[in-house]
């Protein structure tokens, strides 16, 4: 029996979809079977981030309404044997899926896969309720900005109300140079305020934009610091004890990373 | 005065500490916003406990959450009719 993780944030634009794609890809790259489910009905994007947008035939709503079998709607990623995507519907009504249907779907999926990664839409309305309905664990994504942390706090409260206790936190788009100057909240500031366990920190990285342009998740880019951070998160989810990289290093991220991972200058 | 402050090496707070302080304050308010139903349940429970010690005017009772800049207070106004002799 697999495990269902929902990736959520409250605020839009903090990197839920990028995180879903890269956790999914990261887990698949270490041999796990993974299905990613896009629940952002009407505003699907996980397909383009994964580079699978041209292969969609059926979607989440087709499955819940019985227009096709579950297996028919799953898009197999050609990069990894065990990696699949269930895309969201783009043209159907948001209310087309109900939380009960999501629960059933998640049960079916975790019978087949080691990990089910659910990409939650922004907001706290129906889409959030659908995305969390069948989840076993929640991962909250935030950025070191006041608005994103505020919304993360609200989401943590709503997750608890939905019986999803002890969510873990990913801090995305951290800029060590700004942290050093005192112009960006650091990891400790955010953990201090949100009081939940840290799962990982993703540095701001141009490689994310470039890899998204290409439809290749950054977790596959061995030279990118964000890619490394995502691969570390994937390993932590499997129970491996991977220490955090110190992002506030004097020499800056790149130098530090190159040292740690033995890349040539 | 500002000029003297700067000359004496006083630094303005970093933008990060401003953000953190503002965030703290806004979260005090966010976290305190509880549903009217919850407040109603709390009121009923309060009345139950208090009425075993004194006779109170249930209709005149008011329970509210008051928040000011940096803190939140639960304010209950409960008119007492008679205190039970023990």
């Amino acid at each position: 029996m697999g495990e269902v993780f929902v990736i959520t944030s409250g605020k839009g634009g903090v990197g839920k979809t990028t995180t879903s794609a890269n956790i999914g890809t990261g887990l698949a790259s270490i041999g796990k079977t993974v299905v990613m489910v896009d629940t952002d009905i009407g505003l699907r994007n996980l397909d383009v981030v994964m580079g699978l947008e041209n292969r969609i035939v059926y979607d989440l709503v087709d499955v819940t309404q019985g227009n096709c079998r579950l297996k028919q709607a799953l898009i197999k990623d050609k990069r990894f044997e065990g990696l699949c995507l269930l895309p969201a519907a783009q043209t159907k009504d948001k209310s087309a899926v109900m939380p009960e249907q999501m629960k059933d779907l998640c049960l079916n999926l975790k019978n087949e896969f080691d990990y089910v990664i659910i990409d939650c839409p922004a907001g706290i309305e129906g889409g959030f309720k659908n995305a969390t309905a069948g989840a076993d664990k929640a991962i909250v994504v935030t950025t070191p900005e006041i608005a994103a942390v505020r919304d993360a706090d609200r989401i943590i409260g709503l997750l608890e109300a939905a019986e999803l206790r002890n969510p873990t936190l990913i801090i995305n788009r951290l800029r060590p140079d700004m942290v050093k100057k005192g112009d960006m909240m650091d990891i400790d500031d955010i953990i201090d305020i949100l009081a939940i366990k840290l799962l990982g920190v993703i540095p701001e990285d141009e490689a994310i934009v470039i890899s998204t342009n290409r439809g290749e998740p950054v977790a596959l880019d061995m030279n990118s610091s964000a890619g490394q951070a995502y691969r570390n998160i994937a390993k932590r989810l499997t129970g491996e004890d991977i220490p955090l990289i110190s992002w506030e290093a004097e020499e800056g991220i790149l130098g530090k990373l190159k040292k740690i991972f033995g890349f040539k200058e | 005065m500002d000029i003297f402050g700067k000359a004496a090496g006083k630094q303005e707070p970093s933008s990060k500490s401003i953000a953190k302080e503002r965030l703290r304050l806004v979260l005090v308010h966010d976290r305190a916003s509880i549903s009217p139903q919850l407040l109603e349940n709390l009121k009923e429970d309060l009345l139950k406990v208090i009425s075993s010690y004194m006779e109170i005017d249930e209709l005149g009772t008011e329970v509210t959450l008051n928040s000011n800049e940096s803190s939140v207070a639960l304010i209950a106004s409960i008119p007492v009719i008679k205190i039970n002799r023990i």
Side-chain angles (χ1 to χ4, degrees):
Chain A
M1 183 72 94
E3 222 168 11
V4 184
F5 285 91
V6 60
I7 316 291
T8 181
S9 71
K11 190 176 176 301
V14 299
K16 283 180 296 299
T17 303
T18 305
T19 297
S20 303
N22 283 294
I23 288 180
T25 307
L27 285 166
S29 74
I30 49 176
K32 304 291 178 188
T33 58
V34 186
V35 59
M36 298 169 290
V37 184
D38 189 348
T39 60
D40 202 345
I41 294 169
L43 291 168
R44 76 174 171 213
N45 272 323
L46 190 50
D47 53 336
V48 287
V49 173
M50 290 299 299
L52 299 172
E53 68 274 18
N54 292 328
R55 297 180 40 209
I56 297 176
V57 181
Y58 296 108
D59 58 47
L60 175 65
V61 175
D62 288 322
V63 172
T64 54
Q65 293 187 339
N67 300 337
C68 68
R69 280 175 290 114
L70 177 54
K71 284 250 165 75
Q72 289 177 294
L74 297 179
I75 304 169
K76 283 200 170 164
D77 189 301
K78 287 181 178 142
R79 289 159 290 208
F80 295 102
E81 179 101 1
L83 185 60
C84 286
L85 169 71
L86 177 55
Q90 185 71 327
T91 51
K92 282 148 194 154
D93 193 348
K94 270 189 177 182
S95 58
V97 180
M98 303 299 288
E100 280 304 316
Q101 295 173 311
M102 283 301 295
K103 266 189 200 171
D104 290 343
L105 176 71
C106 288
L107 264 177
N108 286 333
L109 288 173
K110 70 178 172 180
N111 272 326
E112 304 283 328
F113 293 89
D114 297 330
Y115 292 92
V116 182
I117 306 294
I118 299 185
D119 184 18
C120 177
I124 55 175
E125 307 297 321
F128 171 77
K129 289 185 180 123
N130 278 332
T132 50
D136 300 314
K137 287 180 181 166
I139 296 172
V140 177
V141 182
T142 190
T143 61
E145 289 148 39
I146 190 163
V149 178
R150 181 196 197 177
D151 289 0
D153 185 80
R154 184 107 171 81
I155 282 295
I156 291 164
L158 291 170
L159 287 170
E160 268 175 22
E163 305 276 308
L164 273 168
R165 311 225 177 263
N166 304 321
T168 50
L169 184 72
I170 292 179
I171 300 173
N172 195 16
R173 310 191 68 166
L174 189 81
R175 288 187 52 181
D177 55 327
M178 290 189 73
V179 169
K180 208 173 148 194
K181 277 191 268 174
D183 278 332
M184 183 175 268
M185 283 187 282
D186 61 29
I187 300 168
D188 291 339
D189 293 327
I190 297 168
I191 293 295
D192 185 32
I193 283 169
L194 295 178
I196 64 174
K197 198 174 160 244
L198 185 66
L199 177 61
V201 180
I202 316 295
E204 175 90 51
D205 187 351
E206 286 180 5
I208 297 257
V209 179
I210 297 165
S211 68
T212 309
N213 287 343
R214 297 202 165 111
E216 292 276 341
V218 78
L220 299 172
D221 181 349
M222 293 299 156
N223 295 318
S224 130
S225 52
Q228 181 62 50
Y230 276 124
R231 290 195 296 278
N232 284 350
I233 287 174
K235 283 184 192 155
R236 284 186 200 116
L237 288 181
T238 67
E240 246 186 90
D241 187 18
I242 309 280
L244 273 180
I245 299 158
S246 164
W247 301 104
E248 289 126 318
E250 291 295 313
E251 51 206 327
I253 310 179
L254 261 177
K256 179 89 176 173
L257 261 180
K258 280 175 180 161
K259 252 190 187 169
I260 290 177
F261 299 106
F263 296 134
K264 281 177 191 159
E265 287 284 342
Chain B
M1 288 304 276
D2 240 352
I3 301 165
F4 291 117
K6 273 183 186 152
K10 264 192 198 165
Q11 279 195 326
E12 287 195 22
S14 65
S15 74
K16 151 203 145 145
S17 48
I18 297 171
K20 202 176 172 190
E21 196 45 40
R22 290 178 58 219
L23 195 51
R24 268 192 203 291
L25 291 182
V26 79
L27 288 183
V28 165
H29 290 258
D30 284 0
R31 287 172 183 170
S33 56
I34 62 174
S35 71
Q37 183 57 49
L38 207 102
L39 209 57
E40 193 55 37
N41 293 351
L42 171 66
K43 181 176 150 183
E44 278 171 26
D45 283 352
L46 275 177
L47 291 180
K48 240 183 263 168
V49 173
I50 295 170
S51 48
S52 60
Y53 294 89
M54 52 193 78
E55 199 176 310
I56 51 182
D57 175 13
E58 296 198 5
L59 289 176
T61 297
E62 263 179 46
V63 177
T64 49
L65 269 183
N66 261 26
S67 43
N68 62 32
E69 282 227 337
S70 60
S71 65
V72 179
L74 177 70
I75 298 183
S77 164
I78 307 172
V80 177
I81 298 169
K82 196 177 85 186
I83 295 185
N84 297 346
R85 290 264 171 88
I86 302 163

